[in-house]
Amino acid sequence: MLVSKRKRYLSGPDWVINTLDRMMKNATCSGNMSQIVLMLDSPLDERIVRSGLDRFVKQFPVLEGRVARDLKLTPYWKIPAAAKRGASLNVLRVADGPFRESLLPALEQSANSRFAGEREHLAFHLFTNSERSALAMTFDHRLFDARGAESFLNLFQQRLNTTAVSEDLVFTSSVELTQWKKKFLAGRNVNRRIIALSRSTPRSLPLQPGRDKALRYRLLAFTERETAEIYDRAYREAGYLMESPYLLSVITQTAHELFRRESGDGTSYLIPVTTDLRQGRDPLQEIFFNHVSYLFYQIPAVEAEDLKTLVASFKQQMYDQVKAGFPRDLAEASLLTRIAPLPALGRLLHVPLKGKMATFVFSHLGKSSYQAGAFMDKKVENLFHMPRVPVPPGLGFFSNYYQGRLNLVISYLDDLLAEDDVDMLEAGIRKRFGVSPA
């Protein structure tokens, strides 16, 4: 059953993301947001950028929607008939000199900024000096996943010089109140997996009490030559196109050094990893909302010393979960959670693993959905993501590949790691990748 264009029923993954958003608003300075950054080779004209973004954003009333429930209590995204505001664009002048050094603290601040109200889910930030510029798009994860946000920017670039209204994007969706047997069978399979994971207590860094904490970031931006070397090493260690298990293995082995410094319980590492559920349909229909699920990797801490053991284990776990259809089952089963209020669902997420939801989180986007090499006629030198990692665990590693360059961003809660801890993580990752220090 389809509904009007002003209703987009939320999927199971959408509702999980909404739950994480509420949890993060309770624990940190803002919600479940992320940020894409375009590094440009020359300054952008503020007036032209503002005009172009305004014209584009006004085509999408969905950007001013909010969560509501219908008479059957099914949550949906209530879309207004028309957009009332243009793009939110904040402009900051960055000091002349080394651009990246001046830019990163400013990007950290924009990634932690709250939206202006419950109807705002997108904000742009333009950073510029006399020689360079960067554009950051901060987005609400309830409305975009990372690949969808890249596709939204790509659509902007494609339609930059047109006045066509984006009527070809459809936001209606099925209410998904049928095939209950299928959903309960999926739930049974997911429950079995969670029970298996709960037999070992995962290690996690201790969270300090307090609220309104900010997230901090460390960017590891590799050159094209370094990226080629990393991928060659990944294919030798893990196999062709197996860079994701290799990257995760390197990160886990490096994180193991950090956890050896910490006291406390826990005998394994538990890592949720996002996986894309898009099936190559019309990409215009898969820009908004969440089209992802998760794989869950677990490794005994005593096995984290050896890279080959990690690679073999993560490859096998990936194969087993995909073959068993776990990501699809998780997405299907999570439809059953939509009846639960967000506070109750948040508490339920803590139960199976005694409040330790993960050791850290990991995501590798691979090839970017932003296909252009330029943005508003300025060359894009690099593109990377700065997600606000869920709390708990308060630590995440997020990588992407753009135009021959690999980026890895470490996202962590402000008081969770000291600066020398992050230095150690960066040095360990670079050493295992076989590239020199920055």
Side-chain angles (χ1 to χ4, degrees):
M1 179 181 69
L2 294 180
V3 295
S4 74
K5 290 185 178 180
R6 295 182 63 186
K7 279 186 181 180
R8 197 280 187 186
Y9 283 97
L10 300 181
S11 67
D14 286 328
W15 199 235
V16 172
I17 293 297
N18 272 267
T19 304
L20 293 175
D21 179 74
R22 188 183 189 281
M23 291 169 62
M24 291 184 68
K25 285 175 178 173
N26 287 337
T28 72
C29 65
S30 194
N32 193 12
M33 300 154 52
S34 188
Q35 184 167 262
I36 300 178
V37 181
L38 301 178
M39 300 285 289
L40 308 173
D41 71 339
S42 53
L44 278 170
D45 186 307
E46 174 190 343
R47 180 179 52 83
I48 296 174
V49 173
R50 190 179 298 277
S51 173
L53 289 175
D54 264 347
R55 187 168 59 249
F56 184 66
V57 165
K58 285 178 180 176
Q59 297 179 28
F60 301 99
V62 67
L63 293 172
E64 296 178 26
R66 63 177 179 87
V67 175
R69 286 188 183 270
D70 67 7
L71 294 177
K72 295 182 178 180
L73 300 183
T74 310
Y76 67 93
W77 193 259
K78 187 173 183 180
I79 304 171
K84 296 182 179 179
R85 59 170 72 91
S88 169
L89 178 66
N90 305 301
V91 182
L92 181 66
R93 177 79 182 183
V94 177
D96 288 335
F99 188 66
R100 176 175 155 175
E101 285 72 12
S102 301
L103 177 65
L104 288 179
L107 286 172
E108 197 169 83
Q109 184 175 356
S110 62
N112 283 295
S113 299
R114 289 180 180 268
F115 289 121
E118 68 166 6
R119 295 272 188 178
E120 184 175 276
H121 308 285
L122 191 68
F124 295 89
H125 308 271
L126 176 61
F127 307 91
T128 184
N129 66 12
S130 61
E131 297 180 348
R132 307 273 302 282
S133 61
L135 184 82
M137 184 179 87
T138 307
F139 59 92
D140 190 336
H141 254 311
R142 294 180 298 169
L143 197 55
F144 295 103
D145 58 29
R147 191 166 296 283
E150 288 185 345
S151 297
F152 183 75
L153 274 178
N154 195 63
L155 185 65
F156 169 77
Q157 178 64 23
Q158 288 176 345
R159 300 188 176 184
L160 187 59
N161 298 316
T162 71
T163 56
V165 177
S166 298
E167 294 179 346
D168 44 357
L169 274 74
V170 179
F171 300 105
T172 54
S173 64
S174 170
V175 67
E176 296 286 356
L177 291 178
T178 59
Q179 297 183 302
W180 293 107
K181 182 178 180 181
K182 179 182 177 182
K183 292 176 175 59
F184 282 111
L185 287 175
R188 183 186 64 182
N189 294 338
V190 170
N191 192 48
R192 287 173 176 171
R193 176 66 178 158
I194 291 174
I195 290 172
L197 293 173
S198 66
R199 294 189 181 114
S200 171
T201 303
R203 287 184 170 183
S204 62
L205 294 172
L207 297 174
Q208 303 301 319
R211 298 177 59 178
D212 294 329
K213 299 176 184 178
L215 273 294
R216 299 204 59 198
Y217 300 87
R218 176 69 62 90
L219 169 65
L220 284 66
F222 299 100
T223 66
E224 290 185 34
R225 179 186 60 78
E226 290 172 336
T227 299
E229 292 174 357
I230 292 168
Y231 272 65
D232 285 345
R233 189 179 293 256
Y235 294 162
R236 288 197 307 270
E237 295 282 351
Y240 184 57
L241 300 181
M242 288 288 108
E243 69 272 11
S244 184
Y246 170 76
L247 296 174
L248 178 57
S249 299
V250 166
I251 290 166
T252 303
Q253 192 179 41
T254 306
H256 181 57
E257 292 186 32
L258 174 67
F259 279 90
R260 283 190 301 194
R261 300 181 182 183
E262 302 290 332
S263 59
D265 58 1
T267 58
S268 66
Y269 296 118
L270 177 62
I271 308 128
V273 177
T274 55
T275 182
D276 202 308
L277 295 181
R278 291 171 174 84
Q279 296 181 323
R281 298 186 291 266
D282 182 357
L284 290 177
Q285 310 311 318
E286 296 178 328
I287 290 179
F288 291 95
F289 302 100
N290 287 272
H291 304 271
V292 299
S293 187
Y294 299 89
L295 300 169
F296 288 88
Y297 295 90
Q298 190 171 50
I299 191 83
V302 294
E303 296 182 12
E305 298 277 357
D306 184 66
L307 186 65
K308 289 186 181 298
T309 299
L310 286 168
V311 169
S313 178
F314 290 152
K315 284 179 63 179
Q316 188 63 49
Q317 290 182 58
M318 178 178 68
Y319 174 78
D320 291 343
Q321 291 181 72
V322 172
K323 182 181 179 182
F326 178 78
R328 293 280 173 190
D329 281 345
L330 183 61
E332 187 76 22
S334 57
L335 286 165
L336 299 171
T337 69
R338 295 180 301 171
I339 193 67
L342 293 177
L345 185 55
R347 289 191 292 271
L348 286 174
L349 289 177
H350 284 77
V351 171
L353 298 169
K354 305 177 183 67
K356 296 187 175 184
M357 296 174 65
T359 302
F360 60 84
V361 299
F362 171 71
S363 176
H364 176 61
L365 277 180
K367 185 178 179 181
S368 176
S369 295
Y370 188 81
Q371 301 168 354
F375 181 83
M376 303 192 82
D377 299 324
K378 309 299 182 184
K379 180 182 177 182
V380 179
E381 295 183 328
N382 200 5
L383 179 156
F384 57 91
H385 290 252
M386 297 176 64
R388 289 175 50 77
V389 65
V391 179
L395 175 64
F397 300 82
F398 305 92
S399 58
N400 76 293
Y401 181 90
Y402 177 74
Q403 302 284 359
R405 295 191 61 176
L406 175 70
N407 299 289
L408 176 63
V409 169
I410 305 172
S411 174
Y412 60 99
L413 199 61
D414 188 21
D415 58 0
L416 194 69
L417 296 175
E419 196 74 13
D420 65 334
D421 292 327
V422 187
D423 291 341
M424 184 274 289
L425 289 173
E426 176 174 359
I429 290 170
R430 287 184 175 275
K431 179 182 176 181
R432 290 175 173 85
F433 280 167
V435 300
S436 58

